[in-house]
């Protein structure tokens, strides 16, 4: 059953990819959806056996690498962390497959699309079920490859090409950090499987090494490189630029990649390596600060975005920041809890946005929508549920994890904790504001679309799409309430040994006794953002306009609309300089210069030109040959005497050959 859970999406991908033309659209859709449904059912059985029964499963399939000390097996680990991730991945993937059968039905390449989705699911399952870092890296690179294929699915669009290449290149930076972490782990631990590494960590707590006269803690270096990998995959501040551009892919891709799967791989990596991060205090502080900064940064950019999918994309980036800094505060279970909750309502938002775009004839600009409340009431209701869950409205799914993260941040009673609490609370206000803005501009404002477009706009009556939205709406409302006690409740032993936290880093009880005002402040700011957005956009549009055209308003608007100038800085100061250096040095000087001169082509030209004059040395006169021998002998004796006199560290034979070479070219030049 466990192997079926992993390999069934792969079998489905191969079958649909190779025989898609023969199977047709309906056959490919049926095989893909049925396979993912059976995979989801298998993950539920695994959750019952492993998670609820607390009986971990280890599977050694075959030996993969056996080279001296490097021994890597194809093995699978099913613990509480794994089965939670498997349930989330397979459920979201199954609904996305079902949604895609109708959303992409007009596309003639639907079998290829379904094959990519199934392959992506397979690699994601490989990532979360691996029992060693090398196998996890295979899944890590696999989801990166599949994300490139899915973002670039409509490859005739230039923007899709650019977005896919950008996602691939930016993620390679994070992947390089993960590779370095794996290399350092193997060099020091002589193993790559989780069980061996985590059991040996107590012996390496005080292990240091020196590099360039600087002393580094071994576990801190490993944790830092692991975090670099997480930054790239989970789109944290600095390597976040690929995530909004990835919206160029089809909407089901956005829901699958940017909701529950690929972008959460970085969070999973940190939680899986919790034993390493627990003994790296400074790295954990960096994780906290960068995660909180990402949450604030992405939320502030989302305030002014006009593209429907980009608003939700920046929301994803912001929520990933919450998960990351929760892990930095050693509350890994809360981070995973927020990951699971976020997957449901964020997939709901993306798929509902796809339904809106589909209804309004592929329009994504919210300024060209409005008045859709009565046109598509079901989608409107779904969007309201997803948005309320996102902002952390009381008693919806997002409320039970987001508020706990902020309470635990303040309850840490440290500088990094206070910092993350302040930025996270401000991010909650911004999230509430832009979510309400999205609902207002899309559904509640006066219609801004063309009459012909509004006339054709109607609610989708396609049952698979509506069924998917309804199935996602249910956990977006209830799943947080029913799982909170089991996953993050005090005294719960659900996670077992899958998550390791030092006793001094446990602050769950401390957070219960913080000031009540501190607990209620994020909720109050959430309501404040909701009412401010609704009132301003409903009654005080002129105030927002005047603020926008004021001197300080222009600067703030430009700063936020340009995404804090990250793209501008990267393009003008980093990318362009690298390209210029590559063109001028690598291409013109090295490739077209040195290699052309001294390479095969250059040598061929030299030999072909000089060979014409070579025969002229064969004059046939004895005195010519005698003169050459005398000159050469004189030079050789002179060089030998100089070498002996000054004891140059130059081989005499090499010097003779060198001067003969020079003489040869002089002779050719003078046509001797």
């Amino acid at each position: 059953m466990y192997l079926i859970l992993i390999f069934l999406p792969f079998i489905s991908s191969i079958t649909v990819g190779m025989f898609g033309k023969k199977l047709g659209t309906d056959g490919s859709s049926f095989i893909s959806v049925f396979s993912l449904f059976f995979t989801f059912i298998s993950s539920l059985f695994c959750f019952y056996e492993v998670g609820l029964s607390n009986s971990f499963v280890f599977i050694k399939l075959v030996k993969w690498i056996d080279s001296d000390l490097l021994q890597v097996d194809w093995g699978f680990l099913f613990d509480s962390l794994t089965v939670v991730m498997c349930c989330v991945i397979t459920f979201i993937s199954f609904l996305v497959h079902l949604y895609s059968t109708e959303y992409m039905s007009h596309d003639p390449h639907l079998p290829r699309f379904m094959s990519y989705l199934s392959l992506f699911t397979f690699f994601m399952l490989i990532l979360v079920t691996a029992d060693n870092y090398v196998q996890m890296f295979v899944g890590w690179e696999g989801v990166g490859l599949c994300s490139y294929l899915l973002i670039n699915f409509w490859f005739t669009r230039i923007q899709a090409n650019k977005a896919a290449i950008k996602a691939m290149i930016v993620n390679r930076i994070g992947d390089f950090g993960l590779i370095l972490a794996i290399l350092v782990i193997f060099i020091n631990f002589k193993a790559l499987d989780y069980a061996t590494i985590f059991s040996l960590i107590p012996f390496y707590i005080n292990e240091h090494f020196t590099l360039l006269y600087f002393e580094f803690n071994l576990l801190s270096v490993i944790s830092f490189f692991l975090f670099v990998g997480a930054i790239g995959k989970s789109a944290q501040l600095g390597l976040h630029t690929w995530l909004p551009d990835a919206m160029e892919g089809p909407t089901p891709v956005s829901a699958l990649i940017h909701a529950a799967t690929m972008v959460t791989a970085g969070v999973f990596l940190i939680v899986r390596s919790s034993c390493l991060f627990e003994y790296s205090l400074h790295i954990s502080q960096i994780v906290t600060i960068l995660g909180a900064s990402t949450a604030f940064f992405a939320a502030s950019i989302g305030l002014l975005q006009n593209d429907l999918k980009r608003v939700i994309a920046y929301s994803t980036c912001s929520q990933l920041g919450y998960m990351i800094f929760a892990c930095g505060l050693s509350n890994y279970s809360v981070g995973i809890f927020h990951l699971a909750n976020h997957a449901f309502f964020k997939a709901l938002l993306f798929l509902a946005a796809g339904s809106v775009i589909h209804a309004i004839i592929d329009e994504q600009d919210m300024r060209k929508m409005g008045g859709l409340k009565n046109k598509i009431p079901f989608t409107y209701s779904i969007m309201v549920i997803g948005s309320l869950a996102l902002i952390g409205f009381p008693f919806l799914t997002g409320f039970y994890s987001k508020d706990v993260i902020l309470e635990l941040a303040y309850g840490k009673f440290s500088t990094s904790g206070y910092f993350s609490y302040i930025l996270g609370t401000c991010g909650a206000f911004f999230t509430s504001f832009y979510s309400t803005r999205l609902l207002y501009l899309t559904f509640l404002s006066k219609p801004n679309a063309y009459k012909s477009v509004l006339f054709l706009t109607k609610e989708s009556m396609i049952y698979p799409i509506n069924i998917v939205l309804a199935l996602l709406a249910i956990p977006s409302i209830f799943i947080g309430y029913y799982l909170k006690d089991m996953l993050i409740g005090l005294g719960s032993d659900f996670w077992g040994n899958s998550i390791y936290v030092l006793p001094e880093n446990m602050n769950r009880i401390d957070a219960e006794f913080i000031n009540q005002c501190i607990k209620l402040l994020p909720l109050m700011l959430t309501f404040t953002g909701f009412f401010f957005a609704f009132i301003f956009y409903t009654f005080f549009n002129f105030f927002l306009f005047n603020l926008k055209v004021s001197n300080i308003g222009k600067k703030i608007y430009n700063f936020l609309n340009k995404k804090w100038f990250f793209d501008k800085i990267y393009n003008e100061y980093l990318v362009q300089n690298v390209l210029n250096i590559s063109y001028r040095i690598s291409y013109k000087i090295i490739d077209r210069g040195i290699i052309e001169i001294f390479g095969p082509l250059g040598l061929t030209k030299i030999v072909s030109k000089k060979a014409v004059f070579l025969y002229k040395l064969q004059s046939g006169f004895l005195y010519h040959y005698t003169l050459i021998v005398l000159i050469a002998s004189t030079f050789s004796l002179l060089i030998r005497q100089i070498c002996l006199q000054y004891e140059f560290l130059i081989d005499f034979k090499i010097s003779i050959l060198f001067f003969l070479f020079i003489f040869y070219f002089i002779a050719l030049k003078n046509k001797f």
Side-chain angles (χ1 to χ4, degrees):
M1 181 179 65
Y2 296 94
L3 295 180
I4 290 176
L5 164 66
I6 299 170
F7 289 101
L8 191 58
F10 179 71
I11 297 172
S12 170
S13 174
I14 296 298
T15 304
V16 173
M18 295 184 66
F19 307 103
K21 290 184 178 180
K22 295 182 179 180
L23 293 171
T25 301
D26 295 336
S28 302
S29 300
F30 176 79
I31 291 175
S32 299
V33 173
F34 178 78
S35 300
L36 266 297
F37 175 73
F38 196 79
T39 303
F40 171 61
I41 297 299
S42 301
S43 68
L44 292 179
F45 279 106
C46 294
F47 182 82
Y48 173 77
E49 290 188 358
V50 176
L52 299 182
S53 302
N54 203 18
S55 57
F56 297 174
V57 176
F58 297 86
I59 300 175
K60 296 292 183 183
L61 197 59
V62 293
K63 190 173 288 295
W64 183 17
I65 302 173
D66 189 1
S67 177
D68 200 16
L69 291 176
L70 181 58
Q71 295 184 0
V72 181
D73 299 326
W74 274 106
F76 303 99
L77 166 63
F78 288 88
D79 57 5
S80 299
L81 177 61
T82 301
V83 295
V84 169
M85 292 295 297
C86 285
C87 288
V88 173
I89 293 168
T90 54
F91 181 67
I92 300 298
S93 183
F94 161 63
L95 294 181
V96 168
H97 276 74
L98 183 59
Y99 184 92
S100 301
T101 57
E102 294 296 337
Y103 189 86
M104 301 288 292
S105 59
H106 62 282
D107 199 299
H109 304 291
L110 178 63
R112 177 165 60 89
F113 183 76
M114 303 299 287
S115 176
Y116 289 167
L117 288 181
S118 298
L119 187 63
F120 180 92
T121 307
F122 165 71
F123 279 120
M124 195 65 203
L125 290 172
I126 288 290
L127 192 155
V128 300
T129 58
D131 71 341
N132 60 82
Y133 280 104
V134 177
Q135 188 176 328
M136 186 199 69
F137 187 73
V138 172
W140 188 276
E141 289 298 305
V143 296
L145 171 65
C146 292
S147 71
Y148 172 83
L149 296 174
L150 289 168
I151 296 170
N152 201 28
F153 178 74
W154 289 322
F155 52 83
T156 55
R157 298 167 56 181
I158 296 178
Q159 290 301 321
N161 298 153
K162 292 181 179 179
I165 293 171
K166 188 176 184 178
M168 179 67 75
I169 293 174
V170 173
N171 274 280
R172 291 293 76 75
I173 301 173
D175 297 349
F176 183 68
L178 181 56
I179 291 173
L180 290 178
I182 294 173
L183 290 176
V184 176
I185 288 173
F186 177 71
I187 291 171
N188 291 275
F189 289 86
K190 304 298 186 293
L192 290 168
D193 59 293
Y194 300 146
T196 304
I197 296 168
F198 298 159
S199 61
L200 292 175
I201 284 177
F203 300 99
Y204 289 85
I205 295 175
N206 298 317
E207 186 74 18
H208 292 75
F209 67 94
T210 304
L211 180 65
L212 299 176
Y213 301 102
F214 292 97
E215 193 175 52
F216 299 95
N217 181 268
L218 176 63
L219 299 183
S220 296
V221 171
I222 295 173
S223 301
F224 175 76
F225 285 138
L226 289 173
F227 182 52
V228 171
I231 291 174
K233 196 66 75 177
S234 291
Q236 295 301 287
L237 189 63
L239 299 179
H240 67 279
T241 54
W242 69 271
L243 187 64
D245 292 343
M247 296 298 107
E248 294 296 331
T251 300
V253 173
S254 303
L256 184 62
I257 293 178
H258 308 129
T261 49
M262 178 178 167
V263 292
T264 60
V267 182
F268 172 81
L269 175 63
I270 295 176
V271 178
R272 175 61 76 193
S273 307
S274 59
C275 196
L276 288 164
F277 282 89
E278 282 299 287
Y279 293 102
S280 308
L281 177 62
H282 298 296
I283 304 301
S284 295
Q285 291 175 347
I286 295 173
V287 172
T288 304
I289 292 170
L290 192 65
S293 302
T294 305
F296 177 81
F297 157 79
S300 65
I301 294 178
L303 294 173
L304 299 177
Q305 294 298 307
N306 296 311
D307 188 288
L308 182 61
K309 289 173 64 177
R310 283 183 180 267
V311 174
I312 306 174
Y314 279 110
S315 168
T316 300
C317 190
S318 179
Q319 298 302 310
L320 288 168
Y322 283 97
M323 303 173 202
I324 291 292
F325 85 70
C327 295
L329 296 169
S330 298
N331 290 286
Y332 306 98
S333 59
V334 182
I336 289 293
F337 182 47
H338 190 57
L339 184 155
N341 292 345
H342 170 265
F344 297 115
F345 59 74
K346 189 51 59 74
L348 177 67
L349 283 172
F350 270 117
L351 296 182
S355 184
V356 173
I357 295 168
H358 194 70
I360 204 166
I361 313 179
D362 297 333
E363 181 59 64
Q364 294 185 200
D365 195 333
M366 295 186 298
R367 295 170 297 181
K368 299 179 181 179
M369 300 180 186
L372 300 181
K373 175 184 175 182
N374 298 323
K375 290 284 186 178
I376 45 175
F378 178 76
T379 305
Y380 168 66
S381 304
I382 294 295
M383 287 288 286
V384 169
I385 293 173
S387 298
L388 291 178
L390 172 63
I391 68 176
F393 193 83
F395 312 116
L396 269 69
T397 291
F399 170 77
Y400 295 100
S401 55
K402 190 174 183 179
D403 274 28
V404 172
I405 291 175
L406 296 175
E407 289 179 15
L408 292 171
Y410 191 89
K412 198 70 176 178
F413 299 110
S414 63
T415 304
S416 60
Y418 294 144
F419 179 82
S420 59
Y421 174 80
I422 294 171
L423 292 190
T425 304
C426 295
F429 172 79
F430 291 156
T431 302
S432 180
F433 190 94
Y434 67 66
S435 298
T436 309
R437 175 177 176 265
L438 182 149
L439 291 174
Y440 181 83
L441 292 180
T442 306
F443 298 99
L444 303 177
S445 65
K446 294 181 180 179
N448 293 316
Y450 294 108
K451 288 184 178 180
S452 57
V453 174
L454 286 175
F455 181 77
L456 296 173
T457 301
K458 59 180 179 179
E459 187 75 77
S460 176
M461 300 304 294
I462 303 174
Y463 289 106
I465 292 179
N466 293 336
I467 290 172
V468 169
L469 296 178
L471 288 175
L472 280 171
I474 295 172
S476 299
I477 300 173
F478 300 110
I479 198 74
Y481 173 76
Y482 284 106
L483 293 183
K484 62 180 176 64
D485 291 329
M486 182 176 66
L487 298 185
I488 62 171
L490 285 173
S492 175
D493 61 345
F494 175 80
W495 299 106
N497 295 326
S498 59
I499 295 176
Y500 179 77
V501 183
L502 289 173
E504 59 265 27
N505 292 333
M506 297 179 181
N507 67 323
R508 192 74 55 81
I509 297 177
D510 296 337
E512 294 293 328
F513 296 96
I514 63 176
N515 195 303
Q516 199 68 26
C517 295
I518 301 297
K519 290 185 177 182
L520 294 177
L521 182 59
L523 184 61
M524 294 297 103
L525 286 179
T526 297
F527 284 118
T528 304
F530 178 84
F531 286 114
F532 272 19
F534 184 78
I535 291 172
F536 281 151
Y537 279 96
T538 305
F539 305 105
F540 299 101
N541 277 319
F542 63 91
F543 173 79
L544 295 175
F545 177 76
N546 293 333
L547 180 63
K548 180 180 175 181
V549 298
S550 63
N551 291 329
I552 188 171
K554 286 181 181 177
K555 294 179 181 179
I556 296 175
Y557 182 86
N558 191 45
F559 180 71
L560 296 178
N561 198 44
K562 295 293 184 181
K563 310 175 186 68
W564 289 31
F565 298 105
F566 268 97
D567 287 301
K568 185 177 180 66
I569 293 171
Y570 284 167
N571 291 331
E572 293 189 4
Y573 296 101
L574 186 62
V575 176
Q576 288 299 324
N577 289 332
V578 171
L579 291 176
N580 289 335
I581 293 172
S582 301
Y583 176 73
R584 293 173 182 175
I585 297 177
S586 179
Y587 177 71
K588 293 189 70 174
I589 296 177
I590 298 177
D591 190 22
R592 300 290 295 177
I594 297 173
I595 296 177
E596 290 291 342
I597 294 172
F598 295 100
L601 183 60
L603 290 176
T604 303
K605 290 183 178 180
I606 293 172
V607 172
S608 61
K609 288 181 181 179
K610 302 303 181 182
V612 178
F613 305 103
L614 186 63
Y615 73 96
K616 295 184 178 181
L617 293 175
Q618 308 295 328
S619 61
F621 296 105
L622 184 62
Y623 59 86
H624 284 173
Y625 303 144
T626 305
L627 179 62
I628 295 174
V629 172
L630 288 173
I631 295 172
S633 301
T634 304
F635 269 103
S636 60
L637 291 172
L638 179 63
I639 296 167
R640 182 177 182 274
Q641 190 64 31
I642 293 173
C643 293
L644 293 174
Q645 184 71 26
Y646 296 98
E647 298 180 353
F648 286 166
L649 299 175
I650 302 174
D651 194 333
F652 177 67
K653 296 178 181 178
I654 295 176
S655 61
I656 293 293
L657 292 174
F658 176 74
F659 279 98
L660 287 176
F661 185 75
I662 293 176
F663 179 77
Y664 168 72
F665 274 98
I666 294 173
L668 290 180
K669 185 177 181 181
N670 296 328
K671 299 180 181 180
F672 185 82

